[in-house]
Amino acid sequence: MANVYTQVGEEKVVDIVDGTVTAPANYYIGWGTGAGTAAKADTTLFTEAAETRVVGTETQPTADKNQWVGTLTCAGAGKTITNAGLFDAITAGVLIVHGDFTGIVLAVGDKVEFTISLEQT
């Protein structure tokens, strides 16, 4: 299992800091069903599920950390969720943080709350 700050995510944050791009109004949490280990070079989730990404509720628990919390609900057929990530857009967009984990088996209507943290070190 791995949680990574992706290369494209780092580049996006640098562009926000230097003013090349404007920070998005919201960040979104999505989930996927595919197999794999999250890696620095990732730009997408492993088989992103059909459910719409949710807006993460953002907090700043410490001076050098941002955190987003969002709950996704299984719609349609049941599935096994294996990875999740933080994006700068509701569709497509830049995958900033990507994590994989042991599969979570879901039935229709089941929910998972994700907490994604990004600490500048």
Side-chain angles (χ1 to χ4, degrees), residues 71-98:
T71 302
L72 286 148
T73 304
C74 181
K79 60 191 73 183
T80 301
I81 301 302
T82 59
N83 64 121
L86 182 72
F87 292 86
D88 68 346
I90 196 161
T91 58
V94 174
L95 175 61
I96 297 169
V97 176
H98 187 200

Side-chain angles (χ1 to χ4, degrees), residues 9-118:
E10 286 183 5
E11 292 167 6
K12 178 72 174 200
V13 170
V14 167
D15 287 347
I16 291 169
V17 170
D18 72 15
T20 304
V21 299
T22 303
N26 295 301
Y27 291 89
Y28 300 85
I29 298 172
W31 61 10
T33 59
T37 300
K40 187 94 175 149
D42 291 345
T43 58
T44 62
L45 296 176
F46 308 128
T47 314
E48 187 164 358
E51 289 83 4
T52 301
R53 297 174 189 166
V54 297
V55 174
T57 300
E58 186 175 358
T59 60
Q60 188 177 358
T62 61
D64 62 349
K65 182 186 285 187
N66 293 94
Q67 185 168 283
W68 297 265
V69 177
T71 302
L72 286 148
T73 304
C74 181
K79 60 191 73 183
T80 301
I81 301 302
T82 59
N83 64 121
L86 182 72
F87 292 86
D88 68 346
I90 196 161
T91 58
V94 174
L95 175 61
I96 297 169
V97 176
H98 187 200
D100 67 86
F101 41 84
T102 302
I104 303 169
V105 179
L106 302 175
V108 174
D110 285 349
K111 299 178 181 190
V112 177
E113 180 181 88
F114 291 98
T115 300
I116 298 175
S117 298
L118 179 59

